[in-house]
Amino acid sequence: MLAISASSRSVATPCSKSWIATAESGSIRVSSDEALLRAIAAGDRPSLQALYSRHKVRVYRYVLRLIGDAAAAEDITSEVFLEVWGQGDTFKAKSRVSTWILGVARYKALSALRSRPKKRFDEHAADRIPDHAEDPEAMAERQEQGMIVRKCLSKLSAIHREVLDLVYYHEKSVKEVAEIVGVPESTVKTRMFYARKRLEAMLETAGVNRH
């Protein structure tokens, strides 16, 4: 059971089965991310559960793409939402809540990378995780060409994979990517240009029509 109270602000791991079951139930009213974060800052546990349910898969996938370790990605995802619970009142609304959360996730993922030996990256793992936010048509299209796209993506550098992931999967703007990654917008644009150019060339060679 998730041990959260407005007075103690203590939290058990957000990935506990009891919390996931509660978070995925239909009892939580749909609210905007901003409204949920305001409620979290006031110590509202159901709002944290709702935000976790809404963003857990995308945060986990993003972290997994960065570190290539499924178990560590689960732990970091938990830590991200612990941070949201403890620091929700520091959000200044200068960006979207999801952008802020991914920034927290990136910081924790890179900190974890620096503190452990390198492991072989599994580029396919993140794409094997179902995201129920996808509509059936989008899911079918992704699965149809997914194998070829993943193979091409695996040939890109880590920084190019990351920027494509943030722009196309997380639907972040150049400004938001710059905020998450911590580089100037011009650098994001340059990475995007070369990443797309390289990926399009590989997909064309593989016979995948991107238009």
Side-chain angles (χ1 to χ4, degrees):
M1 191 69 180
L2 182 67
I4 302 178
S5 66
S7 58
S8 67
R9 304 290 286 176
S10 61
V11 189
T13 172
C15 289
S16 63
K17 292 182 180 179
S18 60
W19 188 38
I20 292 173
T22 304
E24 292 182 345
S25 70
S27 61
I28 298 175
R29 180 172 57 85
V30 176
S31 301
S32 69
D33 287 349
E34 289 74 18
L36 289 174
L37 198 57
R38 286 194 296 271
I40 289 168
D44 185 65
R45 168 180 168 172
S47 294
L48 178 62
Q49 293 168 338
L51 196 70
Y52 170 77
S53 182
R54 185 176 296 172
H55 292 288
K56 66 183 183 211
V57 171
R58 290 174 182 265
V59 170
Y60 176 73
R61 276 181 165 180
Y62 176 62
V63 172
L64 183 57
R65 288 188 188 279
L66 288 176
I67 68 175
D69 184 319
E74 288 182 0
D75 291 341
I76 291 170
T77 300
S78 296
E79 292 174 11
V80 168
F81 287 94
L82 289 172
E83 186 84 5
V84 170
W85 175 253
Q87 303 296 326
D89 58 349
T90 67
F91 178 67
K92 303 302 182 185
K94 294 180 180 179
S95 62
R96 286 189 286 177
V97 172
S98 59
T99 300
W100 179 65
I101 292 174
L102 288 177
V104 173
R106 188 177 195 272
Y107 174 81
K108 290 186 175 296
L110 295 183
S111 295
L113 277 177
R114 287 191 291 267
S115 64
R116 65 181 176 84
K118 290 185 178 180
K119 296 181 67 174
R120 191 173 185 275
F121 180 72
D122 184 356
E123 176 63 31
H124 297 183
D127 291 298
R128 291 196 291 265
I129 305 160
D131 183 353
H132 301 294
E134 290 182 310
D135 60 63
E137 182 179 353
M139 184 177 296
E141 182 179 355
R142 181 174 66 84
Q143 291 174 344
E144 180 181 357
Q145 298 183 342
M147 184 177 297
I148 296 174
V149 173
R150 286 194 299 270
K151 184 177 180 180
C152 293
L153 281 171
S154 68
K155 297 178 181 179
L156 295 176
S157 67
I159 60 173
H160 288 154
R161 280 199 308 267
E162 180 183 26
V163 75
L164 289 178
D165 183 50
L166 287 169
V167 170
Y168 291 108
Y169 178 68
H170 295 280
E171 299 180 340
K172 297 301 178 186
S173 67
V174 169
K175 181 178 180 180
E176 289 172 322
V177 174
E179 180 180 342
I180 293 169
V181 178
V183 298
E185 292 182 35
S186 58
T187 301
V188 173
K189 292 177 181 178
T190 300
R191 290 180 184 179
M192 274 294 298
F193 174 79
Y194 285 108
R196 290 175 62 179
K197 185 175 181 180
R198 174 66 174 151
L199 183 60
E200 287 171 2
M202 288 189 291
L203 290 174
E204 183 177 354
T205 300
V208 177
N209 185 359
R210 303 298 294 172
H211 302 289

